Amino acid sequence: MAFLFLSKQWKKNMILIDINHLTVAIDGREIFSDATFTVQKGECVGLTGRNGAGKTTLMRVILGRQEGSAGTVSVAKNCRIGYLEQQHQAVGSHTVLEEAKKSFEPLFQAEERMHRIEQQMSCSEDLSELGEKYQRALDEYEALGGYGWKSQLQGVLKGLGLGEAFWDKPVDTLSGGEKTRLALARLLLENNDVLLLDEPTNHLDLEAAQWLTDYLAHFDGTVLLISHDRYMMDKLCTGVAQIENGRLRFFKGNYTDYCRKWEEELRITQKQFDRQQEEIRRQRAIIARFRQFNREKSIRAAESREKALERMELIDAPQQHEDMRLRFDCARTSGGDVFTVRGLAKAFGQRTLFQNFDADIKKGQKIVIIGPNGTGKTTLLNLLLGRQVPDKGEILRGVHVDIGYYEQGHKAFMGDETVMDMVWAGNRRLNQTQVRSRCAAMLFFGEEVLKPGKVLSGGERARCALCRLSVSGSNTLLLDEPTNHLDMDSREVLEDALERFEGTLIAVSHDRYFINRIADILWIVKDGKIEVFSGSYDDYLASVRNREEVSQQQSINKTRQAKSRAKEKADREEIKNKKLRIQELEKKISALEQQKTALEEVFASAEIYQRPQELLSAQNEYRAAEEALCDAMEKWMELNA
């Protein structure tokens, strides 16, 4: 495979990455073949496909870390590419701030060159050549971020949930998720033209994921994105490259556009396949009849049709993966009031999670609880379940409320019990055939239902837990991060099932696509309180931005009012001082006029002329008084103008 560099004129023709008929095989196994697509400047292309389809492999080929078997990958010359790996871990005893500052090494080098040139300029008489060098170093420094690097660094760290409390921590003391966030921060702070991001929202809470989405939406470069975060894919992607069954297809538009177009393509392909198969069956039936006649003419006609069939370009049957089938049925209907919450408060030690929370949860409502990590979302579910006791307040459960709980950690599914046993425990009234049928609907076939929970993967445990919940007949579902460990197709199936669910739903989630699709009401747990918002996640974001704009405008208005009051006060002070100054000048003018009058009387006396020294002194005094009077009169006139 050839790995090429495009011309340096990439800014004109806009193509940064050109993949042409690329085939990749690992250990003799073909991952995908004949992949062709381009990534242009300013685009965000999402890579989608099942685990193992080759998404990360494609990124590694673009980076030159993996060889292709055939085809070419062309990258624009001087195109700077940054790569976020799923398992990247920073190490060392240096601090978080020191690690993040490594992104600005080129900037610091440009700054050092500027300082060296400044020193040379202070000792040199010929400044023309040094001046040009300094200007080039300054231009490079400003192009790399210039004097704003500190605020940029701090903003990115805070946005990704690494606030000031983390800055002095040694990197080695961070958790795996914190190290991943630090790696992402470093990548965003580097001056890259293209970002290759492999699951960038892993280990991010809702606020950090939203911050990253907004950041990338305003990023001036190009993004190639692997993510299960459908909300991010929807908001950012201008195109989606799907790797499925060893083939790559490119779709223009965001994730929702891709889903719609892919479903339509499958439908059309299936229809074309069915028509062709019907035509093949019809032709074979005609051929069989012709051969039954056993005449030379009919045999030639049969052979002619057989040759036509051999030349026919066959349409491959669309290969669709088996998706889980899920439904939640209520064994009975609950009363209209599901939960009544009054004055609820909960704290751990000195930290208050929330207080003074009132809510009336009605039958059929779909509530999603959101908020930063550690604010008490799961605790709130446990209070509703009765597993924890509130510090203050009460929770009243309505009549005929049957609760089904989906636990985030799946602790109950990690023992020796089999998949079938765990699902059966959800409803002992079912017979074995019914349980096996429900297990098969959740993709546990044949002997797979006899697997013990302790050997299941995270995704299998999630499907097993959902299966048990679906057979329970619960009319009130409490779900803690239900989309975790599910692939994108399974998340869609879960959302379809919850939309059809006629009971009451209360879920904790950081999956913004799920929240947007499911929630009628949001409970936002933050800063020691719970805010109730009616509407979708996008509605909530619009509301927050509107509040921020109003707050900003109010702040501006307050600043203007404060400035206006300060100006009015200054004006009053100025008027007061002006009046005092006028009064002082008028007193001075009066005194000077009196002084002049007294001197004029002296000059009228004949005796003064007999004493030359006194006369000279009086004349000098008179001239000084006259000049001072003139000056005072001019100032008085200016103040009264």
Side-chain angles (χ1 to χ4, degrees):
M1 183 203 76
F3 192 92
L4 308 175
F5 285 98
L6 300 176
S7 163
K8 194 175 180 178
Q9 301 298 317
W10 58 269
K11 288 186 178 180
K12 289 184 178 180
N13 58 35
M14 302 293 284
I15 296 176
L16 300 190
I17 300 172
D18 186 7
I19 296 171
N20 192 29
H21 300 293
L22 177 66
T23 297
V24 177
I26 299 177
D27 297 331
R29 183 175 70 90
E30 193 173 271
I31 306 300
F32 53 81
S33 63
D34 202 31
T36 297
F37 77 103
T38 61
V39 182
Q40 298 185 354
K41 184 175 184 291
E43 285 188 327
C44 177
V45 175
L47 293 178
T48 186
R50 293 180 176 259
N51 292 341
K55 303 184 295 294
T56 300
T57 299
L58 179 58
M59 281 192 172
R60 291 178 62 82
V61 172
I62 291 170
L63 289 163
R65 299 183 184 181
Q66 178 84 40
E67 283 292 324
S69 308
T72 61
V73 174
S74 305
V75 178
K77 191 174 182 180
N78 296 330
C79 178
R80 297 179 298 273
I81 298 180
Y83 179 43
L84 178 73
E85 301 180 72
Q86 287 192 55
Q87 304 300 325
H88 179 84
Q89 298 287 311
V91 293
S93 58
H94 58 292
T95 67
V96 167
L97 207 57
E98 289 168 341
E99 175 70 17
K101 284 171 68 175
K102 290 180 181 179
S103 301
F104 294 99
E105 282 300 327
L107 183 142
F108 297 149
Q109 291 169 8
E111 186 177 33
E112 180 60 31
R113 284 196 295 275
M114 287 167 58
H115 291 327
R116 287 199 303 270
I117 297 170
E118 286 170 357
Q119 290 174 356
Q120 293 171 9
M121 291 171 75
S122 66
C123 304
S124 175
E125 294 181 0
D126 184 12
L127 300 180
S128 58
E129 184 178 348
L130 289 174
E132 291 178 2
K133 287 183 179 179
Y134 185 82
Q135 187 60 52
R136 287 195 295 271
L138 179 61
D139 290 343
E140 182 183 358
Y141 181 74
E142 291 177 346
L144 292 169
Y147 300 100
W149 71 269
K150 283 187 180 178
S151 60
Q152 185 186 1
L153 180 147
Q154 294 173 4
V156 169
L157 287 176
K158 288 178 180 177
L160 292 174
L162 297 173
E164 293 183 35
F166 286 90
W167 293 353
D168 293 326
K169 284 186 175 182
V171 170
D172 282 342
T173 66
L174 300 180
S175 67
E178 290 164 352
K179 287 182 179 180
T180 301
R181 281 184 274 157
L182 180 56
L184 178 57
R186 275 206 57 183
L187 184 67
L188 297 181
L189 291 167
E190 293 170 357
N191 195 25
N192 293 303
D193 301 303
V194 178
L195 297 178
L196 305 186
L197 305 179
D198 197 345
E199 296 294 354
T201 55
N202 281 3
H203 308 291
L204 297 186
D205 62 19
L206 193 66
E207 285 191 350
Q210 188 59 49
W211 180 90
L212 178 60
T213 303
D214 293 338
Y215 182 95
L216 293 175
H218 294 92
F219 176 55
D220 193 33
T222 301
V223 179
L224 199 60
L225 175 67
I226 298 173
S227 181
H228 284 86
D229 189 333
R230 297 162 296 163
Y231 186 90
M232 174 177 272
M233 298 269 280
D234 231 19
K235 294 297 180 182
L236 298 180
C237 287
T238 56
V240 175
Q242 177 212 57
I243 302 177
E244 187 82 13
N245 299 320
R247 292 181 59 197
L248 187 145
R249 297 175 180 84
F250 186 81
F251 299 82
K252 282 285 187 183
N254 64 9
Y255 177 75
T256 298
D257 295 330
Y258 151 71
C259 290
R260 177 178 52 78
K261 291 174 181 177
W262 174 233
E263 288 174 4
E264 179 65 13
E265 185 174 309
L266 284 176
R267 187 188 67 78
I268 292 172
T269 303
Q270 185 67 55
K271 190 173 183 179
Q272 291 172 340
F273 174 78
D274 291 342
R275 284 179 176 174
Q276 187 179 64
Q277 291 300 307
E278 179 61 32
E279 177 62 18
I280 289 172
R281 285 191 293 270
R282 190 178 74 83
Q283 290 296 332
R284 284 176 175 166
I286 293 172
I287 290 169
R289 285 199 300 272
F290 279 162
R291 288 197 174 278
Q292 285 176 355
F293 294 151
N294 199 24
R295 296 176 182 172
E296 183 179 350
K297 184 178 180 181
S298 63
I299 290 174
R300 284 200 304 270
E303 290 174 347
S304 175
R305 287 179 180 264
E306 284 174 343
K307 289 178 181 178
L309 280 180
E310 290 173 2
R311 291 192 301 269
M312 182 182 291
E313 187 175 341
L314 297 178
I315 298 171
D316 293 330
Q319 297 182 13
Q320 300 187 46
H321 292 283
E322 186 78 25
D323 287 327
M324 66 184 197
R325 301 184 305 280
L326 182 63
R327 70 176 189 273
F328 297 103
D329 298 321
C330 303
R332 61 176 178 172
T333 303
S334 71
D337 295 320
V338 178
F339 290 107
T340 302
V341 181
R342 292 292 179 267
L344 194 66
K346 187 67 179 176
F348 281 114
Q350 299 298 314
R351 187 165 66 95
T352 299
L353 296 178
F354 43 80
Q355 57 186 343
N356 302 321
F357 178 54
D358 297 329
D360 295 299
I361 297 96
K362 303 295 184 181
K363 181 182 71 173
Q365 287 183 332
K366 291 182 170 60
I367 299 167
V368 179
I369 306 170
I370 66 173
N373 292 339
T375 53
K377 302 185 295 295
T378 298
T379 298
L380 187 52
L381 284 187
N382 284 324
L383 290 170
L384 293 171
L385 285 164
R387 293 185 175 187
Q388 292 186 25
V389 179
D391 297 336
K392 292 181 182 178
E394 61 178 358
I395 299 174
L396 303 177
R397 186 182 297 184
V399 297
H400 302 315
V401 173
D402 303 320
I403 296 178
Y405 179 49
Y406 180 94
E407 188 177 15
Q408 184 181 167
H410 307 306
K411 294 176 184 177
F413 297 82
M414 296 183 179
D416 293 321
E417 282 187 297
T418 66
V419 170
M420 189 168 178
D421 290 335
M422 290 184 286
V423 172
W424 213 337
N427 188 343
R428 291 297 181 186
R429 294 186 298 275
L430 299 179
N431 59 41
Q432 187 180 47
T433 301
Q434 290 171 319
V435 173
R436 277 186 170 272
S437 175
R438 295 303 285 267
C439 287
M442 296 300 287
L443 309 183
F444 293 106
F445 302 108
E447 298 299 311
E448 289 181 333
V449 299
L450 302 179
K451 277 179 156 183
K454 62 186 179 184
V455 304
L456 299 179
S457 67
E460 288 171 330
R461 286 196 186 99
R463 285 189 278 117
C464 185
L466 287 172
C467 189
R468 183 161 84 175
L469 193 62
S470 73
V471 302
S472 68
S474 304
N475 55 40
T476 302
L477 302 180
L478 272 59
L479 313 179
D480 195 355
E481 299 290 2
T483 59
N484 281 5
H485 304 295
L486 296 180
D487 60 31
M488 294 169 90
D489 291 339
S490 297
R491 292 181 186 192
E492 298 274 357
V493 172
L494 171 62
E495 288 158 3
D496 289 342
L498 291 176
E499 282 185 329
R500 294 191 301 268
F501 177 56
E502 296 179 354
T504 306
L505 170 67
I506 304 174
V508 170
S509 182
H510 69 280
D511 184 334
R512 293 168 292 170
Y513 197 92
F514 172 89
I515 300 166
N516 229 13
R517 186 172 173 186
I518 297 299
D520 301 320
I521 298 171
L522 296 178
W523 289 355
I524 303 96
V525 187
K526 187 178 179 182
D527 299 330
K529 61 183 180 181
I530 301 174
E531 176 190 352
V532 178
F533 179 86
S534 295
S536 68
Y537 180 70
D538 277 345
D539 294 335
Y540 171 67
L541 282 185
S543 173
V544 168
R545 291 185 180 119
N546 183 58
R547 278 182 280 177
E548 287 174 349
E549 289 172 3
V550 169
S551 176
Q552 187 178 14
Q553 189 59 48
Q554 288 174 343
S555 177
I556 292 170
N557 291 339
K558 286 179 181 178
T559 303
R560 286 175 179 169
Q561 289 171 1
K563 286 181 178 178
S564 178
R565 287 194 296 269
K567 187 176 184 302
E568 288 173 2
K569 183 179 179 182
D571 290 344
R572 287 194 300 269
E573 288 293 323
E574 186 179 351
I575 292 169
K576 181 180 177 182
N577 291 333
K578 187 177 179 181
K579 287 180 179 179
L580 290 173
R581 182 65 179 140
I582 289 172
Q583 290 172 2
E584 289 172 358
L585 286 170
E586 287 174 344
K587 288 179 182 178
K588 185 176 181 180
I589 289 168
S590 178
L592 289 169
E593 286 175 339
Q594 289 174 8
Q595 183 182 2
K596 277 183 68 181
T597 301
L599 287 169
E600 286 170 355
E601 289 175 357
V602 170
F603 293 143
S605 170
E607 289 137 358
I608 190 67
Y609 295 98
Q610 303 299 321
R611 298 186 290 277
Q613 290 297 329
E614 287 185 24
L615 177 62
L616 182 61
S617 176
Q619 287 174 338
N620 289 336
E621 189 178 345
Y622 186 85
R623 278 193 297 271
E626 194 170 38
E627 288 177 5
L629 179 61
C630 242
D631 183 58
M633 285 295 293
E634 285 180 5
K635 290 179 179 177
W636 183 88
M637 290 173 68
E638 286 176 4
L639 290 172
N640 282 281

